[in-house]
Amino acid sequence: MIGIGKRALMGLAAAAMLSAPALAQAPYPTRPITMIIPFAAGGPTDTVGRLIAQTMGNELGQPVVVENVGGAGGTIGAQRVAQARPDGYTILLHHIGMATIPTLYRRVAYDPINGFETIGLVTDVPMTLVARRNFPANNLQELVQVVQRDREKLNYANAGIGAASHLCGLLFMHAINAPMTTVPYRGTGPAMNDLVAGTVDLMCDQTTSTTEQIRGNTIRAFAVTTPNRVAALPDLPTAAEAGLPGFDVSVWHGLYAPRATPRPIVDRLNRSLVAALRDETIARRFNDLGTAPVAIERATPEAHRAFWQADIAKWRPLIQAAGQFAD
Protein backbone atom coordinates (compact mmCIF):
# COMPACT_ATOMS: atom_id res chain seq x y z
CA MET A 1 0.00 0.00 0.00
CA ILE A 2 1.40 3.37 -0.98
CA GLY A 3 1.25 6.00 1.77
CA ILE A 4 0.54 9.70 1.33
CA GLY A 5 3.00 12.09 2.89
CA LYS A 6 2.04 14.93 5.18
CA ARG A 7 3.03 17.55 2.61
CA ALA A 8 0.85 15.88 -0.03
CA LEU A 9 -2.12 15.83 2.31
CA MET A 10 -1.69 19.54 3.03
CA GLY A 11 -1.58 20.22 -0.68
CA LEU A 12 -4.83 18.33 -1.30
CA ALA A 13 -6.53 20.17 1.54
CA ALA A 14 -5.45 23.53 0.17
CA ALA A 15 -6.72 22.61 -3.30
CA ALA A 16 -10.09 21.61 -1.85
CA MET A 17 -10.35 24.91 0.03
CA LEU A 18 -9.62 26.86 -3.14
CA SER A 19 -12.10 24.90 -5.24
CA ALA A 20 -15.04 25.19 -2.80
CA PRO A 21 -15.65 28.94 -3.32
CA ALA A 22 -15.34 28.45 -7.05
CA LEU A 23 -18.06 25.82 -6.96
CA ALA A 24 -20.24 27.94 -4.67
CA GLN A 25 -19.85 30.96 -6.95
CA ALA A 26 -20.63 29.25 -10.25
CA PRO A 27 -21.71 31.90 -12.78
CA TYR A 28 -25.43 32.58 -13.14
CA PRO A 29 -27.19 31.60 -15.30
CA THR A 30 -25.97 28.25 -16.55
CA ARG A 31 -29.23 27.10 -18.12
CA PRO A 32 -32.43 28.62 -19.61
CA ILE A 33 -34.67 30.83 -17.46
CA THR A 34 -38.46 30.50 -17.51
CA MET A 35 -40.47 33.71 -17.57
CA ILE A 36 -44.00 32.97 -16.37
CA ILE A 37 -46.66 35.23 -17.87
CA PRO A 38 -49.92 34.62 -15.99
CA PHE A 39 -52.19 35.38 -18.94
CA ALA A 40 -53.00 33.83 -22.31
CA ALA A 41 -50.66 34.06 -25.28
CA GLY A 42 -51.41 36.96 -27.59
CA GLY A 43 -52.56 39.34 -24.86
CA PRO A 44 -50.88 42.66 -23.99
CA THR A 45 -48.82 41.37 -21.06
CA ASP A 46 -47.66 38.47 -23.20
CA THR A 47 -46.61 40.96 -25.89
CA VAL A 48 -44.54 42.98 -23.38
CA GLY A 49 -42.93 39.85 -21.95
CA ARG A 50 -41.94 38.36 -25.28
CA LEU A 51 -40.42 41.64 -26.41
CA ILE A 52 -38.03 41.86 -23.45
CA ALA A 53 -37.39 38.12 -23.03
CA GLN A 54 -35.22 37.72 -26.10
CA THR A 55 -33.02 40.74 -25.35
CA MET A 56 -32.68 39.74 -21.70
CA GLY A 57 -31.65 36.26 -22.82
CA ASN A 58 -29.04 37.67 -25.19
CA GLU A 59 -27.53 39.73 -22.39
CA LEU A 60 -27.64 36.85 -19.90
CA GLY A 61 -26.14 34.36 -22.32
CA GLN A 62 -29.02 31.93 -21.76
CA PRO A 63 -32.51 31.83 -23.32
CA VAL A 64 -35.41 33.40 -21.40
CA VAL A 65 -38.31 31.11 -22.31
CA VAL A 66 -41.85 32.47 -21.98
CA GLU A 67 -44.45 30.15 -20.47
CA ASN A 68 -48.09 31.26 -20.33
CA VAL A 69 -49.84 30.09 -17.15
CA GLY A 70 -53.22 31.81 -17.29
CA GLY A 71 -56.31 31.73 -15.12
CA ALA A 72 -57.79 33.23 -11.95
CA GLY A 73 -56.85 36.81 -12.76
CA GLY A 74 -53.15 36.05 -12.92
CA THR A 75 -52.94 34.33 -9.53
CA ILE A 76 -52.19 30.83 -10.87
CA GLY A 77 -49.04 31.94 -12.64
CA ALA A 78 -48.03 34.17 -9.74
CA GLN A 79 -48.44 31.26 -7.34
CA ARG A 80 -46.22 29.10 -9.55
CA VAL A 81 -43.41 31.65 -9.22
CA ALA A 82 -43.97 32.37 -5.51
CA GLN A 83 -43.57 28.66 -4.80
CA ALA A 84 -40.65 28.07 -7.16
CA ARG A 85 -37.08 27.55 -6.01
CA PRO A 86 -35.45 30.95 -5.37
CA ASP A 87 -32.59 30.25 -7.73
CA GLY A 88 -33.28 32.77 -10.50
CA TYR A 89 -34.50 30.23 -13.02
CA THR A 90 -38.22 31.03 -12.64
CA ILE A 91 -39.33 34.68 -12.86
CA LEU A 92 -42.67 36.43 -13.24
CA LEU A 93 -43.83 39.23 -15.53
CA HIS A 94 -47.07 40.67 -14.15
CA HIS A 95 -49.00 43.88 -14.51
CA ILE A 96 -51.08 46.16 -12.28
CA GLY A 97 -52.85 43.04 -11.01
CA MET A 98 -50.00 42.63 -8.53
CA ALA A 99 -51.40 45.73 -6.79
CA THR A 100 -55.02 44.58 -6.82
CA ILE A 101 -54.72 40.86 -6.06
CA PRO A 102 -54.12 41.49 -2.31
CA THR A 103 -57.61 43.07 -2.12
CA LEU A 104 -59.51 41.30 -4.90
CA TYR A 105 -58.51 37.86 -3.60
CA ARG A 106 -59.13 37.43 0.10
CA ARG A 107 -57.76 33.87 0.02
CA VAL A 108 -54.85 32.82 -2.17
CA ALA A 109 -52.38 29.98 -1.71
CA TYR A 110 -49.34 32.26 -1.57
CA ASP A 111 -48.35 35.57 -0.01
CA PRO A 112 -49.27 38.15 -2.69
CA ILE A 113 -47.19 40.90 -1.07
CA ASN A 114 -44.22 39.26 0.64
CA GLY A 115 -43.83 36.24 -1.63
CA PHE A 116 -41.63 37.98 -4.19
CA GLU A 117 -38.42 39.89 -4.79
CA THR A 118 -38.87 42.84 -7.13
CA ILE A 119 -36.52 43.02 -10.13
CA GLY A 120 -37.67 46.21 -11.84
CA LEU A 121 -40.52 48.00 -13.59
CA VAL A 122 -40.80 47.55 -17.34
CA THR A 123 -43.41 49.85 -18.86
CA ASP A 124 -46.59 51.87 -18.23
CA VAL A 125 -49.21 51.06 -20.83
CA PRO A 126 -52.18 53.35 -21.56
CA MET A 127 -55.58 51.78 -22.08
CA THR A 128 -58.18 52.39 -24.75
CA LEU A 129 -61.96 52.19 -24.60
CA VAL A 130 -63.04 50.25 -27.68
CA ALA A 131 -66.12 48.59 -29.17
CA ARG A 132 -67.12 46.30 -32.00
CA ARG A 133 -66.73 48.01 -35.34
CA ASN A 134 -70.45 48.61 -35.92
CA PHE A 135 -71.28 49.83 -32.40
CA PRO A 136 -73.95 52.59 -32.65
CA ALA A 137 -71.88 55.49 -31.31
CA ASN A 138 -69.48 57.86 -33.01
CA ASN A 139 -67.75 59.37 -29.99
CA LEU A 140 -67.34 58.88 -26.25
CA GLN A 141 -70.33 61.02 -25.29
CA GLU A 142 -72.60 59.01 -27.56
CA LEU A 143 -71.09 55.80 -26.18
CA VAL A 144 -71.90 56.85 -22.62
CA GLN A 145 -75.48 57.63 -23.63
CA VAL A 146 -75.92 54.21 -25.24
CA VAL A 147 -74.45 52.40 -22.24
CA GLN A 148 -76.57 54.36 -19.76
CA ARG A 149 -79.65 53.54 -21.82
CA ASP A 150 -79.05 49.85 -22.55
CA ARG A 151 -76.96 48.89 -19.49
CA GLU A 152 -77.07 45.09 -18.92
CA LYS A 153 -78.22 44.54 -22.51
CA LEU A 154 -74.65 45.28 -23.53
CA ASN A 155 -71.81 42.79 -23.15
CA TYR A 156 -68.48 43.99 -21.77
CA ALA A 157 -65.56 41.63 -22.40
CA ASN A 158 -62.60 41.28 -20.06
CA ALA A 159 -59.74 38.88 -19.42
CA GLY A 160 -61.13 37.75 -16.06
CA ILE A 161 -61.56 39.28 -12.62
CA GLY A 162 -58.45 41.16 -11.65
CA ALA A 163 -57.20 41.55 -15.20
CA ALA A 164 -56.43 45.08 -16.41
CA SER A 165 -59.42 44.97 -18.74
CA HIS A 166 -61.66 44.09 -15.80
CA LEU A 167 -60.31 46.94 -13.66
CA CYS A 168 -60.66 49.48 -16.45
CA GLY A 169 -64.23 48.37 -17.11
CA LEU A 170 -65.01 48.54 -13.41
CA LEU A 171 -63.83 52.15 -13.28
CA PHE A 172 -65.71 53.06 -16.47
CA MET A 173 -69.01 51.61 -15.28
CA HIS A 174 -68.55 53.31 -11.91
CA ALA A 175 -67.74 56.64 -13.58
CA ILE A 176 -70.93 56.67 -15.66
CA ASN A 177 -73.07 54.77 -13.11
CA ALA A 178 -74.18 52.17 -15.62
CA PRO A 179 -73.45 48.45 -15.11
CA MET A 180 -73.10 46.18 -18.12
CA THR A 181 -73.15 42.41 -18.45
CA THR A 182 -69.54 41.32 -18.10
CA VAL A 183 -68.17 38.42 -20.12
CA PRO A 184 -64.88 37.10 -18.65
CA TYR A 185 -62.38 35.29 -20.85
CA ARG A 186 -59.18 33.37 -20.13
CA GLY A 187 -57.10 36.17 -21.57
CA THR A 188 -57.29 39.33 -23.64
CA GLY A 189 -56.47 37.57 -26.90
CA PRO A 190 -59.67 35.51 -26.96
CA ALA A 191 -61.69 38.53 -25.81
CA MET A 192 -60.28 40.65 -28.62
CA ASN A 193 -61.08 37.93 -31.15
CA ASP A 194 -64.74 38.04 -30.11
CA LEU A 195 -64.79 41.85 -30.14
CA VAL A 196 -63.47 41.86 -33.71
CA ALA A 197 -66.08 39.24 -34.61
CA GLY A 198 -68.83 41.36 -33.06
CA THR A 199 -69.78 38.71 -30.51
CA VAL A 200 -69.33 41.19 -27.63
CA ASP A 201 -69.94 44.93 -27.56
CA LEU A 202 -67.23 46.68 -25.56
CA MET A 203 -63.83 46.30 -23.98
CA CYS A 204 -61.21 48.48 -22.33
CA ASP A 205 -57.68 47.22 -22.87
CA GLN A 206 -54.05 48.15 -23.19
CA THR A 207 -52.67 49.83 -26.29
CA THR A 208 -50.27 46.89 -26.67
CA SER A 209 -53.33 44.83 -27.55
CA THR A 210 -55.58 47.36 -29.31
CA THR A 211 -53.33 49.65 -31.36
CA GLU A 212 -52.97 47.40 -34.39
CA GLN A 213 -56.69 46.59 -34.37
CA ILE A 214 -57.58 50.29 -34.14
CA ARG A 215 -55.21 51.15 -36.99
CA GLY A 216 -56.65 48.30 -39.02
CA ASN A 217 -60.19 49.58 -38.44
CA THR A 218 -61.36 46.20 -37.18
CA ILE A 219 -62.68 47.78 -33.94
CA ARG A 220 -63.95 51.24 -33.00
CA ALA A 221 -61.98 53.34 -30.51
CA PHE A 222 -63.42 56.14 -28.39
CA ALA A 223 -60.70 57.34 -26.02
CA VAL A 224 -57.34 56.68 -24.41
CA THR A 225 -57.38 56.53 -20.61
CA THR A 226 -54.34 58.70 -19.86
CA PRO A 227 -53.96 62.49 -19.45
CA ASN A 228 -52.01 62.72 -22.73
CA ARG A 229 -52.65 61.30 -26.15
CA VAL A 230 -50.65 58.31 -27.34
CA ALA A 231 -48.08 58.94 -30.07
CA ALA A 232 -49.04 55.73 -31.87
CA LEU A 233 -52.70 56.87 -32.00
CA PRO A 234 -52.49 60.66 -32.39
CA ASP A 235 -56.09 61.10 -33.51
CA LEU A 236 -57.58 59.29 -30.53
CA PRO A 237 -58.65 61.79 -27.84
CA THR A 238 -58.10 61.33 -24.14
CA ALA A 239 -61.14 60.53 -22.03
CA ALA A 240 -60.98 64.04 -20.56
CA GLU A 241 -60.90 65.62 -24.01
CA ALA A 242 -63.84 63.45 -25.08
CA GLY A 243 -65.99 64.51 -22.12
CA LEU A 244 -65.18 62.08 -19.29
CA PRO A 245 -62.70 63.82 -16.97
CA GLY A 246 -61.18 61.79 -14.15
CA PHE A 247 -61.24 58.51 -16.07
CA ASP A 248 -57.50 57.92 -15.87
CA VAL A 249 -55.87 54.49 -15.69
CA SER A 250 -52.69 52.94 -17.11
CA VAL A 251 -51.23 49.48 -16.67
CA TRP A 252 -47.71 49.07 -15.36
CA HIS A 253 -45.67 45.89 -15.73
CA GLY A 254 -42.88 44.58 -13.54
CA LEU A 255 -40.55 41.60 -13.14
CA TYR A 256 -40.43 39.44 -9.99
CA ALA A 257 -38.46 36.52 -8.58
CA PRO A 258 -39.46 34.20 -5.71
CA ARG A 259 -38.85 35.49 -2.21
CA ALA A 260 -35.34 34.83 -0.87
CA THR A 261 -33.76 34.81 -4.30
CA PRO A 262 -30.16 35.89 -3.56
CA ARG A 263 -29.52 39.57 -4.20
CA PRO A 264 -26.64 38.91 -6.64
CA ILE A 265 -29.06 36.96 -8.83
CA VAL A 266 -31.71 39.69 -8.57
CA ASP A 267 -29.08 42.25 -9.56
CA ARG A 268 -27.99 40.12 -12.52
CA LEU A 269 -31.57 39.87 -13.74
CA ASN A 270 -31.99 43.60 -13.24
CA ARG A 271 -28.94 44.32 -15.39
CA SER A 272 -30.40 42.23 -18.19
CA LEU A 273 -33.74 44.05 -17.83
CA VAL A 274 -32.04 47.45 -18.01
CA ALA A 275 -30.20 46.31 -21.14
CA ALA A 276 -33.55 45.39 -22.70
CA LEU A 277 -35.12 48.73 -21.75
CA ARG A 278 -32.19 50.56 -23.37
CA ASP A 279 -32.42 48.53 -26.57
CA GLU A 280 -33.45 50.75 -29.49
CA THR A 281 -35.41 48.00 -31.20
CA ILE A 282 -37.53 47.41 -28.09
CA ALA A 283 -38.08 51.16 -27.69
CA ARG A 284 -39.35 51.38 -31.28
CA ARG A 285 -41.55 48.31 -30.86
CA PHE A 286 -43.00 49.66 -27.62
CA ASN A 287 -43.69 52.98 -29.36
CA ASP A 288 -45.53 51.17 -32.15
CA LEU A 289 -47.74 49.62 -29.48
CA GLY A 290 -48.49 52.93 -27.78
CA THR A 291 -46.14 52.67 -24.82
CA ALA A 292 -42.49 53.18 -23.85
CA PRO A 293 -39.89 51.66 -21.50
CA VAL A 294 -39.90 53.17 -18.03
CA ALA A 295 -37.15 55.59 -17.05
CA ILE A 296 -34.11 53.61 -15.88
CA GLU A 297 -34.36 55.03 -12.34
CA ARG A 298 -37.78 53.35 -12.07
CA ALA A 299 -36.34 50.00 -13.17
CA THR A 300 -34.44 49.32 -9.93
CA PRO A 301 -35.68 46.70 -7.45
CA GLU A 302 -36.13 49.41 -4.78
CA ALA A 303 -38.11 51.80 -7.00
CA HIS A 304 -40.24 48.91 -8.21
CA ARG A 305 -41.15 47.81 -4.69
CA ALA A 306 -41.96 51.35 -3.52
CA PHE A 307 -44.24 51.94 -6.51
CA TRP A 308 -45.92 48.56 -6.07
CA GLN A 309 -46.67 49.14 -2.40
CA ALA A 310 -48.10 52.60 -3.13
CA ASP A 311 -50.37 51.17 -5.83
CA ILE A 312 -51.69 48.50 -3.45
CA ALA A 313 -52.71 51.31 -1.09
CA LYS A 314 -54.30 53.23 -3.98
CA TRP A 315 -56.49 50.38 -5.26
CA ARG A 316 -57.54 48.85 -1.94
CA PRO A 317 -60.29 51.40 -1.04
CA LEU A 318 -61.62 51.49 -4.61
CA ILE A 319 -62.05 47.72 -4.79
CA GLN A 320 -63.51 47.52 -1.28
CA ALA A 321 -66.01 50.26 -2.12
CA ALA A 322 -67.08 48.43 -5.30
CA GLY A 323 -67.58 45.24 -3.28
CA GLN A 324 -66.42 43.01 -6.12
CA PHE A 325 -64.08 40.24 -5.03
CA ALA A 326 -62.70 37.28 -6.91
CA ASP A 327 -63.34 34.69 -4.20
Side-chain angles (χ1 to χ4, degrees), residues 24-304:
Q25 297 173 12
Y28 165 86
T30 59
R31 55 187 171 88
I33 296 165
T34 298
M35 177 188 289
I36 299 293
I37 296 179
F39 301 102
T45 303
D46 180 68
T47 299
V48 169
R50 290 179 187 275
L51 281 174
I52 66 169
Q54 181 173 353
T55 302
M56 287 182 65
N58 292 340
E59 200 278 339
L60 287 164
Q62 291 288 341
V64 176
V65 181
V66 170
E67 181 180 351
N68 297 94
V69 184
T75 61
I76 295 176
Q79 178 181 334
R80 170 88 68 87
V81 177
Q83 296 175 348
R85 291 184 60 184
D87 56 8
Y89 290 100
T90 305
I91 60 177
L92 172 71
L93 177 75
H94 211 314
H95 61 30
I96 190 175
M98 287 292 281
T100 59
I101 285 171
T103 307
L104 275 171
Y105 290 82
R106 293 164 291 185
R107 292 176 297 275
V108 288
Y110 65 99
D111 188 334
I113 298 175
N114 300 310
F116 303 91
E117 304 292 343
T118 49
I119 297 171
L121 292 170
V122 178
T123 184
D124 284 310
V125 183
M127 303 197 76
T128 51
L129 191 59
V130 295
R132 53 183 167 84
R133 184 178 177 183
N134 60 347
F135 193 86
N138 297 309
N139 53 54
L140 183 59
Q141 290 185 339
E142 291 182 5
L143 171 68
V144 171
Q145 292 172 357
V146 172
V147 174
Q148 289 177 332
R149 181 192 68 205
D150 293 342
R151 295 175 172 257
E152 287 89 352
K153 295 179 182 178
L154 298 173
N155 295 321
Y156 174 84
N158 64 53
I161 291 180
S165 51
H166 165 250
L167 297 171
C168 186
L170 186 68
L171 289 177
F172 176 65
M173 287 182 267
H174 176 75
I176 66 173
N177 192 29
M180 291 179 279
T181 298
T182 57
V183 183
Y185 288 78
R186 290 182 59 85
T188 304
M192 178 59 72
N193 289 340
D194 275 5
L195 188 71
V196 171
T199 305
V200 291
D201 298 302
L202 293 164
M203 188 164 72
C204 181
D205 204 20
Q206 302 168 62
T207 52
T208 46
S209 176
T210 62
T211 296
E212 293 183 2
Q213 299 290 352
I214 293 170
R215 287 172 168 173
N217 198 34
T218 60
I219 58 176
R220 178 169 294 182
F222 297 97
V224 62
T225 66
T226 48
N228 300 311
R229 294 195 182 197
V230 174
L233 300 167
D235 297 328
L236 186 63
T238 69
E241 289 174 333
L244 192 61
F247 183 50
D248 181 3
V249 57
S250 61
V251 181
W252 54 270
H253 295 76
L255 274 177
Y256 306 81
R259 182 181 181 179
T261 298
R263 183 59 192 244
I265 291 178
V266 171
D267 288 341
R268 184 69 187 91
L269 289 165
N270 176 260
R271 289 198 300 275
S272 70
L273 170 62
V274 169
L277 297 181
R278 286 176 168 160
D279 185 88
E280 293 183 0
T281 301
I282 286 182
R284 287 196 302 270
R285 189 74 180 95
F286 273 15
N287 181 71
D288 290 341
L289 296 169
T291 185
V294 299
I296 296 304
E297 59 266 23
R298 296 186 63 210
T300 67
E302 292 75 18
H304 181 183

